[in-house]
Amino acid sequence: MRTKESLWGFFASDPQLSFNEDGEARLFAWIGQEQFERNPDGSFTQGETKFYPFKMFRRSAEHAYEKFARGDNFVASGHVQKFSYEKNSETVSGEEFIATHIGPDAARTSYAIDRGRSRSQQVESAPIEAPDPTLPQQPSPRPMTL
């Protein structure tokens, strides 16, 4: 099972789409993460919201630009990357999230899924059953992407 780091948050700025000299897309936005602290009585206190730079590249960046706007909640997978640069003779450093996948946060967003074809046009398949854990498992006959 392949896994990556994940991040949830909201777009604190409008996503910006640009292209490099090779025509590859780059999405940049500031994202926010609300911070909550659990109290001894089980309630929560909201802390200060933290903001981070967020980037996506290539076709994923174009899709995200079409689908997301400032204020939208999301869940993304990818990795954290440290950065540093010189500005006015001082070193500025921090972290940014480089996303490879993104979708709406189902816990905070109502959304509809457009599957592109009506159910009557889709090929019917047998119901999916959980494997019996007592039997040896065969590899999947085709690659599976989550």
Side-chain angles (χ1 to χ4, degrees):
M1 177 184 301
R2 296 183 326 164
T3 62
K4 290 187 173 194
E5 294 177 78
S6 65
L7 167 79
W8 59 266
F10 64 92
F11 283 97
S13 71
D14 286 319
Q16 302 292 317
L17 187 66
S18 61
F19 295 86
N20 67 14
E21 58 277 352
D22 294 328
E24 291 182 335
R26 173 187 178 267
L27 179 134
F28 174 83
W30 284 97
I31 56 109
Q33 279 191 314
E34 296 172 324
Q35 306 295 309
F36 293 91
E37 196 171 304
R38 188 178 195 109
N39 300 317
D41 67 358
S43 65
F44 291 89
T45 300
Q46 186 169 358
E48 186 176 329
T49 300
K50 295 187 178 182
F51 298 92
Y52 303 96
F54 177 93
K55 293 179 183 174
M56 289 188 84
F57 297 95
R58 292 175 283 290
R59 191 69 184 135
S60 296
E62 294 179 64
H63 285 296
Y65 182 74
E66 293 169 8
K67 307 250 185 281
F68 290 93
R70 182 182 197 157
D72 288 347
N73 292 295
F74 68 88
V75 176
S77 64
H79 66 277
V80 174
Q81 180 172 289
K82 294 183 184 296
F83 66 86
S84 67
Y85 59 90
E86 294 291 322
K87 183 177 181 180
N88 299 329
S89 301
E90 290 189 30
T91 300
V92 177
S93 60
E95 294 179 326
E96 60 190 1
F97 192 78
I98 309 298
T100 54
H101 296 83
I102 189 169
D105 184 346
R108 298 172 176 240
T109 306
S110 295
Y111 61 94
I113 297 173
D114 179 3
R115 291 184 173 81
R117 301 187 286 170
S118 70
R119 290 228 182 246
S120 62
Q121 293 173 318
Q122 295 179 10
V123 177
E124 291 192 29
S125 61
I128 298 172
E129 296 181 21
D132 183 343
T134 62
L135 299 175
Q137 298 301 310
Q138 298 296 318
S140 175
R142 60 189 167 114
M144 186 172 82
T145 304
L146 298 178

